[in-house]
Every structure is written in C-alpha cells, then in structure tokens.
Amino acid sequence: ETMPPFVRHLDPVRRRGGLLVVDPRRSATAALVARPVDHLAPVPGTDAALLLGILHVLIAEHHIDGDYLAARTTGFPAVAESVTAWWPERVEQISGIPAPVVRQTARRLAAAAPHRGGAGAFILTGRGAEQSTQGTATVTAAINIALALGLPGRRGSGYGCLTGQGNGQGGREHGQKADQLPGYRSIDDPDARAHVATVWGIEPEDLPGRGVPALELLHRLGSSDGPLGLFVHGSNLAVSGPNSERIVERLRSLDLLVVCDFVPSETAALADVVLPVTQWAEEEGTMTNLEGRILRRRKAIEPPEHVRSELWIWAELARRLDAPGSWPTDPAQVYDELARVSSGGPADYSGTSHAGLDAAEAAGIGTYWPAPATAEIREQPSPGDHPVTGTPRPFLDRFATSDGRARLVPVTHHGPADGVRPKAPIYLVTGRVLQHYQSGAQTRRVPELNAAATDPVVEIHPLLADRLGVVMDGIVRIESARGAAYGRVRVTPDIRPDTVFMPFHWGGPASVNRVTSDATDPVCGMPDFKVCAVDIHAVDADFGERVGATA
C-alpha cells in the first residue's frame, strides 16, 4: 500500500505461494498471500518471540546450514543455547500464533534456503518490527535466522530493512545519527575522525563527540542540560514525534526555533524563524535504495524567486560564523566530497562521482555501494544482467567485521513497554495509508488526496466494536497514559479483535502520536511508535465533526 513499485517485485513470489507476511492487520500486503495460513497475525509487539520460535525449530529439526555457520560466522553456539527456551508452544502462548504454524513457517523457510536446494529466501523487516523498545532485538533475531540458513551473500537470498522514507537508507549511511561519521563509521573512531577532518580541512578535535539519541535530545530542549535553540530541516516534529504533546511543550520552551521547510507544517507554525527552502523537485542529488543502488535524482523545475537551498543556508551560516573548512553549495561538489570522506568506511562511495553516476546511468550501468576507488565495471551478478560497478551483492566473501565473519548475537523477548492492563485493555498499532505521506504536512494540502482520505480511520474488529458500542463512521476517543486522539471508526474483520489501528498522518486532535509511547530501545534509541495500550470511547458526532475540521 505504501511501496507500490517495490511490491511489484513480490508478485512472482506471491504467485508461487512463497510470500509470508507477519502483521496484526490484514494489510494490503497481507491480502496478497496465497493462503490464509501465510498471514501470521501475532499479538502486537511479539515479533521477537515469533522469530525466536522459528529459529528454535530450525535448530531442533536440523534445518540450519552448518557449513556456512562454521566457515562464515561466530557466536552460533550461544544463540542456539538461548533459543532452547523458545519452543513453539511457549511462542503460541505469547504471540497467539499456533505452534503448528510456527513449525510450518520454519520448515518453509528452510526448504527455500539454497543449502537445501531451494531458490532462495529473503527476510524483510519494516517499521512495525523495528519501532519498538525491542526493535534491535527483533531485527537481530531476524538476522540470526538469515545467517542460520546461510542466506546473506547468496543469490536470491538475504536480509533487508524496508525504510520508511525515500532516502532513509542513504541518510543512515552518511552521518544522519549523532554517533556517526560519513561511510557508516563511528564518530568515536580516531582513524575515522582523522580521515574526515583531513578531507574537510579541519582538525580532528573540531569534530564533536558522540551526541544523544534524537528523542532524548528533544526531551532536553529548553532545559538546563539541553539546547536553547533548534534548527529543524523538513521534519514535522510536532506531529511525527511520539507522545507529541510533550515534544510540542519542549519546542515552545526554546529561546529560538528555526525551521527550514516548503510548507507551513505544524512545527513551522511554532517557529520563531521559517526559512523557505527548495524541495525535492527543485534540486539535484542522490538517493540510495534497499539493494544499495546509488540513484541520481534530478531537478525537474526551477524554484520560486528568492528560495534558497539548504546547502546555501549552511554555507552562509558557516561563512558568517567563521566556521573552518569549505562549504560548497553545488550538489555535485558536495557529492564528490562525500565520496572522498566515505573512503575506507563500510559504506564506501569513493569510486563514484556525481558526473560518473550520470555517465553510468546513461550507459545502463548500475552503481552499488560499497564502491571503493578500486571498483571495476563488470558483468554481474550473472550473464545477461546489466553491467554494474561497486558491489551488487555484498557479503560474497566476507562481512564488514575485523575477521570477515558475521556475528550472531543472543537476544530475548520482553514485550511492549506499554502493555495492556485494566484501564488500557486494547492494543493500538499505528502506520500509514496510501493517500498520505509521513506527517501529512504536504499531502493534506492536496484536495484529491484529502477527498480520498479525509479523516484518520480507526480500524476496529466487529467483535471489539460490539463490545465498545461503536459503529461504522462513528467518532471515537483513543486514550493512553500520555494523551488522547480522535478518529473515525472503520469496522473491519481485517484486524485482531484485541487491537485497533490508526494512521499517523494527521495533526491536531486527530494526531495519533499524542497517544503513542516515548519509551525507547535501550540499544539504538528508537521510540516505541508502533504499539501501546489504550482505552476507547465513543463521542457524539457533532464533536467528532469539529475534531475532523480542526485536524
């Protein structure tokens, strides 16, 4: 529903009956499966338990690729010992997935694995599994399964993360987190700091140290140990942040809030200064997709007069603050600098250039990272495919570790931070709909999209709707320990009877992130966006109409 171009690639798999979907809802993707048993609808927040149970079966029934594990990984014995506690009947009690289905799923994955003569298997995770207090554990459990079956580095097989935004992958590779430097390198690594500083023409000590995770930073705004000013680039924090009313309160406490955007978002409405900037169709750049392919993005139209790019704004700030180093404003120069600064890192772009990407595209050559300066153009991955440069299939020979072996890491399941209880007996899961994008700051301004999805819907199973006394198109108030949001009821059998779903694209009283939890994953700092405990009450229609108009 939200990645139509990608889903086309799933069609051959679906037609062969090889698509398995894990989701508490019968989403548009889950509706593609060949048989009902191919859609696993666990209790929200129990993905990790399900994955641990699958690995338990793979090991207990001797489906693993022992040769691959011995030659290419470390840590398997500890993982194998840890999953002895996750037999299918226990997983059923926690996740609601019947033990026979857990076993059948494990066997089907094993049958597809190359070492068993299968055509290959991919394990893909998305935001539902990742945006939780155990997102790191869940992803690690998925990767452990992929390694146990010998999938990474083999044709038609592997693990992948479906990012929620167009260039989510490319941003993560080059320092979009406060503990990273370009090229997927740690900001604490002295060698990486020295290399980056040399390229940028500064001293290593000019680089900052490790920063705090994004949500912790937002919670510190305006406080004695936090920033008094914030510079926001195209992010609608007032709607997209978890427990969003708390974030709005912190934004209001700042001495200075500056927002770069091209639409008047809810966050821009709080700003002291708004800088209108170019948008995607008005500027050049690159993006990186799931398979590591570097894509050129080209300007389609000229921006309005007096609109500046964010590169120009940063360069002007640097000049006026006498910042060291060079601050080019030409996207081609910036990309070529990025290629140099990423050299030697796991995400090495040093063998590419802005002009080179254009020439490669014109010649029908795909470019994939890592693409070091020594990268050669070759026919890959098999005869008849388009020529490529860089690394179209990573991990063929080694992983990005000191000894070239992948690490299997034991993890466990502990459930959502905000679990159901008498005063909040219903699970809320959040997500997206086709008609809107992210916080809706852009798409809610498009009449055709608004007409197609005017209000946020609250999907409720008929059994739960009957118990709550709510009806189709009625208005409900969803309450959590943090706040309340309003939405319009859609009664549907396509969701678990203990769960409701609401998309997050709306602001004001219809913003579901007023309700979501701001507990975070202890490893990566990811907020618990996707699952929390709520109570639900019907409200009168007139009040609901007023809420819809406000949103």
Side-chain angles (χ1 to χ4, degrees):
E1 186 169 25
T2 57
M3 297 183 178
F6 171 77
V7 172
R8 288 184 301 171
H9 296 287
L10 297 180
D11 191 57
V13 180
R14 180 190 64 81
R15 286 189 275 106
R16 292 196 300 268
L19 179 63
L20 302 175
V21 178
V22 180
D23 198 314
R25 303 169 59 223
R26 187 174 182 267
S27 64
T29 306
L32 296 175
V33 299
R35 304 174 300 166
V37 73
D38 297 339
H39 172 211
L40 285 66
V43 172
T46 63
D47 305 79
L50 174 61
L51 293 166
L52 293 168
I54 290 172
L55 184 54
H56 174 103
V57 175
L58 292 173
I59 295 171
E61 296 187 355
H62 308 289
H63 297 307
I64 61 173
D65 187 343
D67 292 340
Y68 181 98
L69 287 167
R72 304 211 52 199
T73 74
T74 63
F76 177 71
V79 169
E81 181 179 355
S82 71
V83 299
T84 57
W86 294 97
W87 59 92
E89 286 74 17
R90 182 189 180 198
V91 171
E92 177 178 351
Q93 292 296 314
I94 294 171
S95 71
I97 303 300
V101 175
V102 176
R103 290 188 171 92
Q104 180 186 34
T105 301
R107 292 164 186 163
R108 292 180 66 188
L109 279 171
H115 77 287
R116 300 293 297 273
F122 278 101
I123 300 173
L124 303 174
T125 58
R127 299 291 80 85
E130 298 156 6
Q131 290 182 333
S132 82
T133 54
Q134 57 180 25
T136 301
T138 302
V139 168
T140 301
I143 292 172
N144 285 343
I145 293 173
L147 291 170
L149 292 175
L151 304 182
R154 286 176 166 160
R155 183 171 176 81
S157 297
Y159 163 79
C161 165
L162 297 171
T163 62
Q165 299 182 58
N167 199 30
Q169 182 69 38
R172 292 187 185 104
E173 292 161 7
H174 296 301
Q176 201 177 45
K177 290 179 63 185
D179 60 355
Q180 288 182 351
L181 290 170
Y184 260 147
R185 287 183 293 202
S186 170
I187 203 166
D188 297 328
D189 181 347
D191 292 337
R193 292 174 66 88
H195 171 74
V196 170
T198 298
V199 175
W200 283 349
I202 60 176
E203 297 298 322
E205 53 268 26
D206 291 333
L207 291 168
R210 178 183 294 262
V212 300
L215 191 58
E216 183 180 345
L217 177 71
L218 294 175
H219 287 171
R220 291 186 187 183
L221 295 179
S223 65
S224 59
D225 64 343
L228 300 180
L230 188 69
F231 197 1
V232 177
H233 289 265
S235 181
N236 194 7
L237 301 168
V239 174
S240 62
N243 192 4
S244 57
E245 287 298 279
R246 180 181 181 186
I247 291 176
V248 169
E249 177 188 356
R250 302 320 309 157
L251 292 172
R252 293 185 187 277
S253 73
L254 290 166
D255 291 349
L256 176 65
L257 174 60
V258 181
V259 174
C260 287
D261 215 326
F262 71 98
V263 293
S265 70
E266 286 82 356
T267 306
L270 300 173
D272 299 289
V273 178
V274 177
L275 301 176
V277 292
T278 51
Q279 58 142 322
W280 65 272
E282 299 166 345
E283 55 190 11
E284 296 282 313
T286 64
M287 303 175 74
T288 307
N289 70 4
L290 170 66
E291 61 178 353
R293 185 192 295 259
I294 307 169
L295 305 168
R296 275 283 283 115
R297 189 181 69 182
R298 292 178 174 79
K299 179 190 290 187
I301 58 174
E302 291 297 324
E305 190 178 5
H306 305 307
V307 170
R308 301 289 187 262
S309 72
E310 283 160 295
L311 290 177
W312 183 91
I313 289 170
W314 278 110
E316 282 299 299
L317 281 173
R319 181 179 65 81
R320 299 177 194 196
L321 293 170
D322 293 324
S326 62
W327 297 79
T329 60
D330 179 356
Q333 289 182 269
V334 174
Y335 181 89
D336 292 349
E337 177 188 280
L338 173 64
R340 296 194 303 275
V341 83
S342 69
S343 177
D348 190 335
Y349 280 41
S350 62
T352 71
S353 67
H354 210 253
L357 290 173
D358 286 342
E361 185 178 283
I365 300 170
T367 303
Y368 301 80
W369 73 266
T374 55
E376 298 177 354
I377 296 176
R378 56 192 186 278
E379 294 290 337
Q380 279 280 358
S382 65
D385 285 349
H386 294 295
V388 301
T389 186
T391 312
R393 190 181 305 124
F395 317 133
L396 288 174
D397 304 309
R398 59 180 289 117
F399 292 92
T401 58
S402 57
D403 60 4
R405 290 172 173 260
R407 309 284 193 258
L408 285 94
V409 180
V411 293
T412 191
H413 163 79
H414 57 70
D418 188 22
V420 292
R421 52 196 180 276
K423 291 187 177 180
I426 303 164
Y427 287 110
L428 166 69
V429 296
T430 70
R432 309 162 194 253
V433 295
L434 174 64
Q435 294 85 354
H436 292 288
Y437 179 71
Q438 296 297 89
S439 71
Q442 300 172 49
T443 55
R444 283 185 275 123
R445 299 170 61 83
V446 180
E448 293 83 357
L449 297 177
N450 264 332
T454 305
D455 302 317
V457 297
V458 181
E459 292 186 357
I460 303 179
H461 192 277
L463 294 175
L464 181 58
D466 184 63
R467 180 166 69 82
L468 295 173
V470 302
V471 297
M472 182 74 86
D473 291 327
I475 304 298
V476 291
R477 173 183 168 95
I478 300 179
E479 299 177 354
S480 75
R482 293 154 295 278
Y486 297 85
R488 192 173 298 278
V489 172
R490 176 185 292 163
V491 179
T492 173
D494 293 339
I495 193 165
R496 292 176 54 95
D498 58 358
T499 303
V500 297
F501 165 82
M502 187 173 175
F504 59 76
H505 309 293
W506 282 264
S511 173
V512 74
N513 277 328
R514 291 183 168 202
V515 176
T516 53
S517 171
D518 53 7
T520 56
D521 183 304
V523 178
C524 70
M526 174 67 76
D528 203 8
F529 275 110
K530 286 295 182 279
V531 183
C532 68
V534 298
D535 200 3
I536 298 177
H537 305 279
V539 299
D540 65 86
D542 290 341
F543 183 61
E545 290 169 2
R546 184 165 65 84
V547 168
T550 303

